[in-house]
Amino acid sequence: MRNKQSLGEERVTKLLSEFAVPSIIAMLVSSLYNIVDQFFIGRSVGELGNAATNISFPFSIMCVAIALLFGIGGASQVNLSMGKGKKEEAVYYMGNSAVMLFLCGIVLSFIILIFLEPLLKFFGSPVNVLGYAKTYTRITAIGFPFLILATGGGHLIRADGSPRFTMLCNLTGAVINTILDALFVSVMDFKMAGAAVATVIGQVVSAIMVIIYLRHCKTMALEKRHLLPKRKYVSKIAALGAAPFSNQLAMMVVQIVMNKSLKYYGSRSVYGESIPIACVGIITKINQVFMAFIIGISQGLQPIVSYNYGAGKYKRVKEAYLKAISVGTGLAVIAFLAFQFFPRQITGIFGNGTKEYFDFAISYFRIFLFFTFINCMQPITSNFLTAIGKPKQGIFLSLTRQIIFLLPLILIMPLIMGIDGIMYAGPVADCMAGLAAIIMATIELKRPEYTK
């Protein structure tokens, strides 16, 4: 992208490809942090190690939530301001977003390190898993400020017209993490601690690359005065980042309730406490690979629709959204087929287990993720509504799947069906969230401005 005007003039298909593909790759690479750790820990430590990473997973979700709050919120405000020709305002949004990302990461890291054991127990850690979870999280928490800055800063870099550099930041960190995982875990046998140290080093490198870029943006020049947080800018950034933030926060709440429910109902089944937690941890991270495509598409869509909506080019906004949905649906169908036909093979990548271990994993794959083929609708539509400056609608839609539908179902259905109720809560919530997204998108696109 040579200049911001190309967002309003270039073919939508080309723009979506240029912004979404690097975003998808960046998200895939980002998901590799968890996948790679899971792979080496599963083969080195086993079932309890896999369960431990799932217990600590809510912390990672919180980091992503903060990154999206100020990353997507800041990126949306930058693009909306640029679309309106308010460049000086856009620079303040960029600087304030970057500073808030790192500051919030520092605060979160301190809170976690101080209250680590009580938090892990609250997250549902069985006694035989707690030690592994403490070892892993105590180290990874040190890297949270860098993880948040690297993740959120990638959105700011993308808003500046450099989606490929965002991809490079994530790719570099993930490659370093993978190499060091192999060295620390497989060769040096540092087990949980080795995987955690490898993760932190990769995150630090990615964050340094983000800082270097932000000092030399393509379309604006950041100065010290732009880095001083101001309420009027931070509040507007948070308003547009609230939808993806709420979605991630909802995911964290659901993850905690899920772990506690799996522990409780698992202990009353043939699977025991640890097997369901370990299996769900693996499957959640595998599903993240699919969702990386969907979230990448929605993030690539963001600067296109934000700029064109701000410039009053509503037909281009509609065209970009519909093309994003079409591509997302195709990918969702492929993921659905993989989850239905190859669950045993996918689970086996992360180490061996008992018959009960694989029985639960196969059932969970096929039942909980049954409606994967419509799971692109809710995140793309939620981010679309946020990107065009309608955060209330975006926030509501972002909460439908996790909080409004899934959370109550996880609490209610197991009372009737035992641990199987947790599995069947997934497809019911996915179906209802997908329908809500279709209805809200239809209402928005029928507005008069989209037909002029």
Side-chain angles (χ1 to χ4, degrees):
M1 294 301 169
R2 292 186 176 181
N3 51 64
K4 302 300 289 186
Q5 280 68 35
S6 62
L7 287 169
E9 298 170 1
E10 186 63 78
R11 286 187 302 112
V12 168
T13 302
K14 183 178 180 181
L15 285 172
L16 192 58
S17 174
E18 289 193 23
F19 278 89
V21 171
S23 299
I24 290 170
I25 295 174
M27 290 299 299
L28 283 173
V29 171
S30 180
S31 69
L32 281 179
Y33 278 104
N34 293 318
I35 292 291
V36 168
D37 281 0
Q38 198 83 55
F39 174 83
F40 285 103
I41 288 172
R43 292 182 172 273
S44 166
V45 181
E47 175 190 311
L48 296 181
N50 282 330
T53 60
N54 193 31
I55 291 297
S56 66
F57 194 51
F59 294 129
S60 297
I61 298 175
M62 174 54 72
C63 288
V64 175
I66 296 172
L68 297 183
L69 177 65
F70 296 107
I72 286 184
S76 297
Q77 287 289 7
V78 167
N79 288 129
L80 285 169
S81 297
M82 294 295 282
K84 296 174 182 177
K86 300 179 179 180
K87 185 174 181 178
E88 180 60 25
E89 187 179 78
V91 186
Y92 275 102
Y93 285 126
M94 181 76 77
N96 275 229
S97 296
V99 170
M100 291 304 298
L101 287 167
F102 196 72
L103 289 179
C104 289
I106 293 174
V107 172
L108 178 65
S109 182
F110 272 109
I111 292 173
I112 290 171
L113 289 173
I114 293 171
F115 301 104
L116 180 59
E117 184 168 335
L119 285 170
L120 291 173
K121 289 180 178 179
F122 176 72
F123 291 170
S125 177
V127 175
N128 58 347
V129 174
L130 183 61
Y132 295 101
K134 286 171 63 178
T135 299
Y136 184 77
T137 310
R138 187 177 289 116
I139 297 171
T140 55
I142 298 172
F144 286 167
F146 303 97
L147 169 60
I148 292 171
L149 178 60
T151 304
H155 298 289
L156 300 177
I157 293 171
R158 189 180 301 110
D160 189 53
S162 299
R164 290 187 180 89
F165 193 84
T166 297
M167 176 187 67
L168 181 62
C169 291
N170 286 278
L171 181 60
T172 302
V175 170
I176 291 173
N177 178 42
T178 302
I179 294 172
L180 294 181
D181 260 332
L183 176 63
F184 294 160
V185 180
S186 297
V187 177
M188 303 177 72
D189 199 30
F190 290 163
K191 299 187 184 299
M192 300 295 293
V197 171
T199 298
V200 171
I201 293 174
Q203 292 165 352
V204 170
V205 173
S206 294
I208 291 173
M209 293 178 68
V210 168
I211 293 171
I212 292 172
Y213 180 93
L214 292 177
R215 293 184 63 187
H216 306 282
C217 291
K218 288 171 60 176
T219 61
M220 59 190 72
L222 280 174
E223 300 175 6
K224 289 184 179 179
R225 59 194 175 93
H226 300 131
L227 301 177
L228 181 64
K230 295 186 177 181
R231 183 176 179 179
K232 68 175 181 177
Y233 295 117
V234 173
S235 61
K236 289 182 179 180
I237 290 168
L240 290 192
F245 172 79
S246 300
N247 191 40
Q248 290 293 317
L249 207 62
M251 286 177 61
M252 186 185 74
V253 172
V254 170
Q255 183 73 30
I256 295 170
V257 174
M258 176 79 77
N259 285 342
K260 294 169 82 72
S261 297
L262 289 168
K263 176 185 176 182
Y264 179 82
Y265 291 103
S267 67
R268 287 157 175 74
S269 71
V270 297
Y271 305 114
E273 289 183 344
S274 300
I275 284 178
I277 293 176
C279 290
V280 171
I282 292 172
I283 294 166
T284 298
K285 292 175 178 65
I286 292 297
N287 189 48
Q288 273 193 322
V289 175
F290 156 65
M291 291 306 297
F293 285 94
I294 304 305
I295 300 301
I297 291 171
S298 71
Q299 290 175 357
L301 179 69
Q302 177 265 316
I304 303 170
V305 296
S306 289
Y307 184 92
N308 283 283
Y309 195 88
K313 298 182 178 182
Y314 302 108
K315 284 191 175 181
R316 288 174 62 81
V317 173
K318 181 177 181 179
E319 180 186 358
Y321 169 76
L322 293 177
K323 287 184 177 179
I325 288 294
S326 297
V327 175
T329 300
L331 294 171
V333 170
I334 294 172
F336 165 77
L337 294 174
F339 296 160
Q340 293 299 311
F341 290 103
F342 305 107
R344 173 64 173 80
Q345 292 85 340
I346 295 173
T347 306
I349 295 173
F350 300 91
N352 296 318
T354 62
K355 178 181 180 299
E356 290 77 15
Y357 175 83
F358 283 106
D359 285 346
F360 185 86
I362 292 169
S363 296
Y364 194 89
F365 253 123
R366 289 176 172 166
I367 297 172
F368 193 85
L369 299 178
F370 181 79
F371 273 106
T372 296
F373 57 87
I374 63 170
N375 274 357
C376 70
M377 287 298 306
Q378 186 244 12
I380 292 177
T381 305
S382 174
N383 205 32
F384 163 71
L385 292 170
T386 300
I388 62 174
K390 299 186 177 182
K392 291 182 180 179
Q393 293 92 321
I395 292 172
F396 171 78
L397 188 56
S398 71
L399 294 176
T400 53
R401 197 261 179 186
Q402 300 289 339
I403 294 297
I404 298 176
F405 300 134
L406 184 58
L407 185 58
L409 291 171
I410 289 176
L411 295 173
I412 296 171
M413 293 183 70
L415 296 175
I416 304 170
M417 306 172 65
I419 198 166
D420 288 347
I422 298 175
M423 298 188 197
Y424 284 97
V428 176
D430 286 341
C431 181
M432 296 173 73
L435 291 174
I438 292 171
I439 293 170
M440 292 184 70
T442 301
I443 293 172
E444 173 62 29
L445 295 180
K446 282 187 175 180
R447 292 169 62 89
E449 55 263 38
Y450 291 100
T451 59
K452 291 180 181 178

